[in-house]
């Protein structure tokens, strides 16, 4: 099982001039898109290591990107406080949403790709409509007391992690918000593939697995360093392992159940900023401050 | 051109010659008429429209009518005759795909065809186009009844004309039927032929068919001698199909040697075949007629179209049979093995082995161990049955030796308990030991067997009794199986506070019956006989259980007091029982234990909760149990912890997420009313409380703000409605807003509304807390006094409350202006107001204020009640409101001429007063709660 984990460097994607801040797979995992401090978004073929296209419109660093389910469009956000809604083939910006009052940290699409949800430094989560031509948000959720760092979406819920140490689950169907206080600033939020657990990366160098139904702490994963950078964490496609990135450039794999470090390797020269795991295959892409995106396979 | 052809002369004429009508003969005229060339010459009324075929296009109706009938469009007299319905149910396959081509007339078809590009005949090198034409012709032909049904094979249809390629070839000396290609290609094929020959030689080695070889060679050499290019005779001509395989199927495709072998065999056994093929047919034929039983069938009698098995197949079968017969004759009988070829039919190049190395392997059946018993015996059951069914051994006397008796007894017990294995073991061990001779039937053997039987029967009884014991409960079984224990509470989804409240109310309404009524010879409430009576009633009820009855004397008590009392009684009853059941035991411990056992967490919390109130309010009352509830260390600090709140997704968001709006029909958020209610009950400490109050107010205001911000500015009326729902509007405020003069036009309405809502909220809070606060502050009932105005020292506080409550810039500015005016130089306010400014301070809040406020409130309430319909009307429909306001404005405008400045001034004054009153009220609630006054509380009201 453990030898199935992606540890071998398959391809290095070079092209960004400066730190790469986020990397994401598209919905079928054949392509990945990265963004960085050089204000450029790059579309890659991770299997062949080809840069397919670069998208250039942001005025400042691009912090996150999300791809629509049918891969025809994507949305990016960054320090210029705006959300850009792009057309993939033409590379044109379809819409610029009004965005936030300050830097936008994270962006995600709803499951049916009709709503863009973003979280920002202005302590709010905002939902934007892709269907109408309005650039104003549908709803502004200002429940947080600190910067919203990460978002997750399910069919009817918005899960947001904030530096105030809370994960808030906004259940649209029930009309309730569940606030799970973890006591530490939350850096990343990821869902397990069965949708029952939330993995929260905290700034005390710990990943915490939370039962979504009850809010109980199921497990803690330690060993990596995460104290100041915004990094990502996620679960493998089989939900058997937890993947975390460290500020010393290492990638860690933990066993989901007994939280032992199954494997760790040096992936980058400096801090890893973002990781993304392939939906179906054992394949990992990592991005780093060192300006590279690397693809890892077993 | 056509014309020229007609004449047959060499004269070339371009264009149509003008013909003189006079010169035209009748015949020519008719011809010209036919061709339509004459109409130029005819007068217009005589001309008629004709198509290129000379058919009339228009008929009747002054020659303008278009006939769609027989004449030119449809080929029938009836015109567009509707087709009779023909069900295609049975013949779906006959449904034909129609194409545009089917509906075209000749002209259109010609036109269509002329568009297709084909090779001109001169350039049709390989004759493909010609062949294609021919094929098309043929397919058209097949539609007609023909001699041979079905399609004509492609090969039969040959191009009718020689293609240019054929012509060229002819000129180069090629003749029809010859192959194309130079001689060296044929030469190269010679090599192949050589190889084939070698193969054949190898294959035919040892076989009897050597005569076929030369014949084949002969034919080939003949071909070589001719030295001609290969003929282009098609395959089906050269190789006549003589088998029943599918077309094109070659059974020897990957094994050509077998093909030749077959060929030889065919040649070799030609006669045999003929003889044998008739064998099966003979049977069928005998049934028929024409051939007698003794007649020898000749070749000519062969059934040409025999439907029986094919000759070739028969050959193979017969050969097989024959070969087998031979084998049986030659070789001794032995197991037939599929892989071993035998006799002379061994593969060419292989020799048959002299002895067979193959030996069928024989496996012995597994050895059954001698001590194997094919029946499983259950130990306990066996023991039981033995002890029950066995005849009891005879009563045996005890041996004299006491030690032996002891030993035997012990042994018997042990063996009975742990089975006969122990006996066997001890037998093994103590073979030589004289003490254990009883095991081997020595001295005391009888006694031993008897004792053993006794013990066994005892044990059997025990086992039986074990079986009779009650079955495990679901929870025990679950525990044994390692299942997760079920949640204790049946209400997992209800949040903790709600659960607590629910439990408390349940506790107030119901009671559990307790096992035995305890005698209380002690009177806990001796000083209060009414209470004592109630207590006794309570104790009596307690042991019957069920719905709590309202005590006779308890009617005059408030709800909270009753709840308190019940709790008190409960505690006392517990204590009393504790003392009765175990005098001198630790009462506290008992109490704690009993409370642990009987009350769930929620009850305990509620209890604590009321206790704390009790402690605060009446410290001189019975306080024995309350001290026992040691404050538990709060677990709320441990992470992660979950809190749940209502959250309102906007309708559009719900729509985009394909989710029904959970708040459909509700125009506003679930208001923090409940929260305030809970807060009114929860008064653990004053400082905390005050902070909570401000927080609650702040959050309430925030909620409103958020709502206002997030909702798109729709309509004023719509926006206003929710707020009106929440807050019962004070009438005077509305009057203040709506009975405005022209000066009061600037502030927008929503702001006012928010202000009103806040004011109402604070008033509500003040309402709820007034009594308790009054007690706490120890205020006597002062005489009514005019409204005091806050001192400037308090302004910071006032601002903070405003910040949390309103957050509206205009509101704040207004508050500030009032304060300014109060402290500075007021123009309109009477001086009497300023007098009260100085003494009002933070700590020493004038007692008069509260009483005054209460009076005011009462008045306001009265006013509210009396003017309710009007108020309702104003609040209900905003449009009405606006209309009425407009009216009022008009009126005021009318009155403006006559109205004096004094009136407006008075109004303004009134309004400001009201404002101040509200402000001060709000401020007071916060300041009074924050100022912790520990004065003894006199029992007021």
């Amino acid at each position: 099982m453990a030898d199935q984990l992606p540890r071998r460097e398959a391809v290095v994607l070079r092209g960004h001039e400066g730190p790469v801040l986020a990397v994401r797979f598209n919905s079928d995992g054949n392509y990945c898109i990265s963004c960085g401090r050089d204000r450029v978004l790059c579309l890659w073929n991770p299997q062949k290591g080809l840069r397919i296209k670069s998208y250039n419109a942001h005025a400042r660093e691009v912090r996150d990107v999300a791809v629509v389910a049918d891969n025809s469009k994507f949305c990016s956000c960054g320090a210029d406080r705006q959300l850009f809604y792009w057309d993939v083939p033409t590379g044109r910006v379809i819409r610029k949403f009004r965005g936030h009052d300050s830097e936008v940290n994270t962006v995600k699409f709803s499951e049916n790709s009709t709503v863009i949800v973003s979280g920002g430094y202005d302590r709010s989560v905002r939902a934007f409509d892709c269907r109408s031509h309005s650039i104003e948000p549908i709803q502004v959720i200002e429940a947080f007391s600190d910067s919203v760092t990460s978002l997750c979406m399910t069919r009817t819920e918005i899960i947001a992690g904030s530096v105030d140490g809370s994960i808030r689950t906004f259940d649209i169907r029930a009309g309730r918000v569940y606030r799970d206080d973890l006591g530490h600033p939350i850096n990343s939020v990821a869902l397990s593939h069965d949708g029952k657990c939330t993995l929260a990366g905290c700034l005390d160098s710990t990943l915490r697995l939370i039962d979504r139904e009850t809010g109980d702490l199921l497990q803690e994963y330690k060993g990596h360093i995460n104290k100041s950078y915004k990094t990502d964490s996620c679960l493998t496609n089989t939900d058997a392992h937890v993947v975390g990135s460290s500020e010393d450039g290492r990638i860690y794999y933990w066993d989901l159940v007994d939280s032992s470090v199954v494997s760790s390797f040096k992936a980058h020269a400096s801090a890893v900023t973002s990781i993304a795991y392939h939906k179906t295959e054992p394949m990992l892409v990592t991005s780093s401050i060192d300006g590279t995106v690397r693809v890892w396979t077993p | 051109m056509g014309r020229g052809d007609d004449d047959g002369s060499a004269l070339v004429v371009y264009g149509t010659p003008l013909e003189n009508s006079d010169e035209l003969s009748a015949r020519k005229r008719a011809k010209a008429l036919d061709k339509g060339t004459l109409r130029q010459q005819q007068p217009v009324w005589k001309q008629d429209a004709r198509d290129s075929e000379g058919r009339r296009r228009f008929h009747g109706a002054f020659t303008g009518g278009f006939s769609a009938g027989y004449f030119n469009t449809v080929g029938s007299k009836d015109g567009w005759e509707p087709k009779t319905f023909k069900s295609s149910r049975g013949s779906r396959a006959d449904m034909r795909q129609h194409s545009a081509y089917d509906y075209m007339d000749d002209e259109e078809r010609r036109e269509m065809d002329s568009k297709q590009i084909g090779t001109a005949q001169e350039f049709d090198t390989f004759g493909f186009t010609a062949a294609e034409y021919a094929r098309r012709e043929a397919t058209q032909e097949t539609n007609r009844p023909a001699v041979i049904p079905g399609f004509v094979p492609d090969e039969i249809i040959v191009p009718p004309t020689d293609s240019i390629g054929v012509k060229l070839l002819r000129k180069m000396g090629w003749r029809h039927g010859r192959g194309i290609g130079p001689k060296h290609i044929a030469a190269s094929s010679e090599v192949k032929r050589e190889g084939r020959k070698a193969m054949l030689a190898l294959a035919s080695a040892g076989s009897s068919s050597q005569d076929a070889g030369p014949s084949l060679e002969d034919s080939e050499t003949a071909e070589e001698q001719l030295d001609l290019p290969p003929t282009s005779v098609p395959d089906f001509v050269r190789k006549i199909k003589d088998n029943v395989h599918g077309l094109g199927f070659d059974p020897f495709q990957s094994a050509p040697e077998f093909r030749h072998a077959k060929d030889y065999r065919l040649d070799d056994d030609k006669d045999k075949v003929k003889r044998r093929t008739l064998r099966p047919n003979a049977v069928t034929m005998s049934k028929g007629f024409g051939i007698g039983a003794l007649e020898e069938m000749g070749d000519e009698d062969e059934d040409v179209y025999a439907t029986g098995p094919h000759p070739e197949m028969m050959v193979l079968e017969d050969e097989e049979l024959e070969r087998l017969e031979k084998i049986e004759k030659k070789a001794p009988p032995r197991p037939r093995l599929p892989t071993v070829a035998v006799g002379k039919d061994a593969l060419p190049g292989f020799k048959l082995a002299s002895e067979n190395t193959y030996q069928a392997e024989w496996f012995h059946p597994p050895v059954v161990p001698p001590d194997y018993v094919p029946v499983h015996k259950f130990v306990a059951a066996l023991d039981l049955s033995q002890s029950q069914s066995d005849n009891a051994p005879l009563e045996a006397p005890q041996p004299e030796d006491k030690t032996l008796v002891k030993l035997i007894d012990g042994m018997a017990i042990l063996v009975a308990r742990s089975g006969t294995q122990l006996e066997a073991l001890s037998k093994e061990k103590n073979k030589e030991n004289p003490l254990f001779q009883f095991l081997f039937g020595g001295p005391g053997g009888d006694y031993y067997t008897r004792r053993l039987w006794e013990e066994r029967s005892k044990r059997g009884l025990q086992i039986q009794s074990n079986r009779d014991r009650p079955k495990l409960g679901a929870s025990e079984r679950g525990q044994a199986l390692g299942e997760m224990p079920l949640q204790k509470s049946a209400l997992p989804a209800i949040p903790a506070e709600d659960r607590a409240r629910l439990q408390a109310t349940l506790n107030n309404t119901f009671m559990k019956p307790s096992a035995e009524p305890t005698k209380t010879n002690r009177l806990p409430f001796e000083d209060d006989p009414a209470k004592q009576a109630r207590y006794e009633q309570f104790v009596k009820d307690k042991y019957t259980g069920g719905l709590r009855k309202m005590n006779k004397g308890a009617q005059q008590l408030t709800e909270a007091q009753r709840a308190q009392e019940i709790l008190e009684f409960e505690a006392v009853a517990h204590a009393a029982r504790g003392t009765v059941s175990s005098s001198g035991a630790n009462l506290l411990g008992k109490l704690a234990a009993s409370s642990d056992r009987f009350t769930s967490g929620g009850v305990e919390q509620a209890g604590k909760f009321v206790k704390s109130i009790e402690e605060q309010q009446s410290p001189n009352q019975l306080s024995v149990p309350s001290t026992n509830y040691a404050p538990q260390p709060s677990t709320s600090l441990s992470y992660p912890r979950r809190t749940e709140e209502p959250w309102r997704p906007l309708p559009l968001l719900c729509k985009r997420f394909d989710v029904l709006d959970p708040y459909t029909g509700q125009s506003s958020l679930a208001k923090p009313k409940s929260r305030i209610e809970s807060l009114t009950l929860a008064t653990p400490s004053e400082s905390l409380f005050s902070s909570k109050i401000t927080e609650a107010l702040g959050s309430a205001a925030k909620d409103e703000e958020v709502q206002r911000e997030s909702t798109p500015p729709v309509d004023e009326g719509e926006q206003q409605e929710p707020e009106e729902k929440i807050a019962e509007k004070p009438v005077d405020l509305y009057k203040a807003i709506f009975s405005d003069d022209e000066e009061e036009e600037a502030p927008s309405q929503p702001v006012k509304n928010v202000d009103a809502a806040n004011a109402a909220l604070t008033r509500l809070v003040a309402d709820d807390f007034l009594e308790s606060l009054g007690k706490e502050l120890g205020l006597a009932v002062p005489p009514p006094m005019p409204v005091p105005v806050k001192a400037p020292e308090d302004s910071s506080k006032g601002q903070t409350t405003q910040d949390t409550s309103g957050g509206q810039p205009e509101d704040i500015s207004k508050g500030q202006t009032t304060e300014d005016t109060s402290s500075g130089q007021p123009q309109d306010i009477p001086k009497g107001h300023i007098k009260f400014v100085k003494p009002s301070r933070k700590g020493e809040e004038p007692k008069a204020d509260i009483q005054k406020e209460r009076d005011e409130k009462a008045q306001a309430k009265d006013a509210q009640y009396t003017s309710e319909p009007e108020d309702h009307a104003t609040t209900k429909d905003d449009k009405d409101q606006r209309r009425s306001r407009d009216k009022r404005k008009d009126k005021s405008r009318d009155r403006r001429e006559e109205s004096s400045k004094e009136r407006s001034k008075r109004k303004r004054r009134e309004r400001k007063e009201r404002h101040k009153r509200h402000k001060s009220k709000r401020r007071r609630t916060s300041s009074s709660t924050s100022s912790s006054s520990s004065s003894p509380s006199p029992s007021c009201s």
Side-chain angles (χ1 to χ4, degrees), chain B residues 84-194:
Chain B
T84 47
F85 174 72
K86 198 179 142 198
S87 173
S88 62
R89 202 179 177 188
S91 55
R92 278 188 198 283
D94 291 354
M95 291 278 279
R96 212 159 72 86
Q97 199 75 15
H98 293 267
S99 66
Y101 204 81
D102 296 332
Y103 296 97
M104 289 173 180
D105 61 6
D106 302 338
E107 288 171 63
E108 284 167 329
R109 265 180 214 172
R110 215 177 300 135
E111 204 179 314
M112 187 91 167
D113 288 343
S114 70
K115 274 178 192 165
Q116 283 178 343
I117 296 165
T119 322
Q121 211 152 41
E122 301 93 309
F123 305 105
D124 190 10
T125 315
F126 302 105
F128 287 148
T129 317
E132 182 66 29
Y133 266 121
R135 196 167 296 126
R136 206 182 290 167
E137 290 282 312
T139 48
Q140 274 169 7
E141 208 114 312
T142 50
N143 292 338
R144 292 174 201 150
V147 181
I148 305 164
F151 289 97
V152 186
D154 282 357
E155 283 83 0
I156 288 173
I157 305 153
V158 285
T161 56
D162 283 341
S163 68
I164 190 78
V166 174
K167 278 178 193 163
L168 281 170
L169 277 170
R170 278 244 181 79
K171 287 196 173 167
M172 287 163 75
W174 174 81
R175 269 172 299 134
H176 204 89
R178 279 277 152 219
I180 304 163
K183 282 173 191 170
H184 68 263
I185 293 174
S188 75
S189 68
E190 198 179 333
V191 181
K192 281 185 200 163
R193 224 174 293 137
E194 283 299 320

Side-chain angles (χ1 to χ4, degrees), chain A:
Chain A
M1 196 62 212
D3 51 83
Q4 292 295 309
L5 292 169
R7 273 177 297 191
R8 191 178 58 79
E9 183 181 291
V11 178
V12 184
L13 311 174
R14 289 178 208 277
H16 277 287
E17 297 164 3
V20 188
L21 295 180
V23 61
R24 301 278 175 258
F25 274 112
N26 73 341
S27 61
D28 60 3
N30 288 337
Y31 299 94
C32 68
I33 190 157
S34 64
C35 56
R37 200 159 282 170
D38 56 355
R39 297 171 285 178
V40 178
L41 291 125
C42 293
L43 180 68
W44 306 89
N45 183 333
Q47 272 92 8
K48 295 177 184 165
L50 292 172
R51 177 152 124 175
I52 297 159
K53 204 168 173 62
S54 51
Y55 301 89
N56 221 324
H58 271 282
R60 293 182 66 189
E61 65 181 38
V62 193
R63 292 212 173 152
D64 199 4
V65 60
V67 186
V68 171
D70 66 356
N71 298 325
S72 64
K73 297 172 186 83
F74 67 91
C75 182
S76 63
C77 65
D80 54 2
R81 305 179 196 179
Q82 280 183 320
L83 282 118
F84 284 57
Y85 188 43
W86 301 79
D87 186 37
V88 171
T90 60
R92 264 194 218 126
V93 178
I94 300 168
R95 214 164 296 149
K96 284 181 191 172
F97 291 106
R98 183 59 58 86
H100 288 246
D101 297 337
S102 57
E103 291 94 325
V104 192
N105 289 326
T106 175
V107 66
K108 282 278 182 310
F109 275 101
S110 68
E111 196 147 282
N112 52 8
S113 303
T114 52
V115 178
I116 298 170
V117 180
S118 63
Y121 190 71
D122 61 349
R123 300 177 288 172
S124 72
V125 166
R126 285 164 197 240
F128 297 89
D129 193 357
C130 297
R131 289 214 175 144
S132 73
H133 290 287
S134 163
I135 59 162
E136 302 292 336
I138 305 175
Q139 185 160 17
V140 180
I141 306 165
E142 287 178 317
F144 299 90
S145 48
D146 210 331
S147 171
V148 181
T149 51
S150 186
L151 276 173
C152 267
M153 306 286 291
T154 65
R155 266 189 69 81
T156 59
E157 286 157 306
I158 303 169
I159 302 155
S162 165
V163 179
D164 65 7
S166 70
I167 301 171
R168 277 166 221 249
T169 308
F170 298 94
D171 193 335
I172 297 163
R173 179 173 286 170
R176 296 190 81 78
V177 53
Y178 306 93
R179 176 188 160 158
D180 292 319
D181 240 318
L182 298 191
H184 297 281
I186 289 158
N187 214 349
S188 70
V189 176
L191 270 179
S192 64
H193 288 81
D194 61 358
K196 290 194 175 141
C197 307
T198 319
L199 182 73
C202 298
L203 273 181
D204 60 339
S205 300
T206 311
L207 302 184
R208 290 181 168 86
L209 194 71
I210 310 289
D211 186 356
R212 283 190 55 210
E213 203 171 317
T214 59
D216 294 338
L217 179 70
L218 296 175
Q219 194 57 269
E220 291 189 338
Y221 308 95
K222 286 179 183 176
H224 65 303
I225 307 163
N226 183 12
K227 290 193 169 109
S228 52
Y229 284 98
K230 160 100 177 71
T231 61
D232 270 350
S233 59
C234 62
L235 285 112
T236 56
N237 57 340
T238 53
D239 273 353
H241 296 94
V242 169
V243 193
S245 49
S246 177
E247 283 171 17
D248 56 3
R250 293 184 79 82
I251 296 290
Y252 283 79
Y253 291 106
W254 289 272
D255 191 280
L256 182 87
V257 179
D258 58 15
S259 84
S260 57
V261 177
V262 175
S263 165
S264 80
F265 60 92
K266 182 99 176 164
H268 287 276
S270 54
V272 181
T273 53
S274 177
I275 58 174
Y277 207 91
H278 198 283
K279 244 180 200 172
T280 51
E281 287 163 31
M283 187 187 211
L284 180 78
V285 285
T286 59
S287 69
S288 168
I289 302 245
D290 65 8
T292 58
V293 175
R294 283 164 207 257
V295 185
W296 307 88
T297 51

Side-chain angles (χ1 to χ4, degrees), chain A residues 129 175-177 179-180, chain B residues 642-645 647-648 656:
Chain A
D129 193 357
R176 296 190 81 78
V177 53
R179 176 188 160 158
D180 292 319
Chain B
R642 168 165 280 204
T643 49
E644 198 183 332
E645 275 173 27
W647 168 69
R648 172 116 204 228
R656 287 281 177 268

Side-chain angles (χ1 to χ4, degrees), chain B residues 381-414:
Chain B
L382 188 74
D383 279 0
L384 201 65
S385 63
Q386 271 183 347
S387 59
Q388 277 166 354
S389 62
D390 278 6
N391 292 328
L394 290 171
E395 193 82 40
Q398 271 189 15
E400 287 81 27
D401 197 352
K402 290 291 170 199
T403 51
L404 191 64
V405 168
K406 265 185 193 167
L407 197 70
I408 287 169
D409 282 358
M411 195 67 199
I413 289 165
L414 265 174

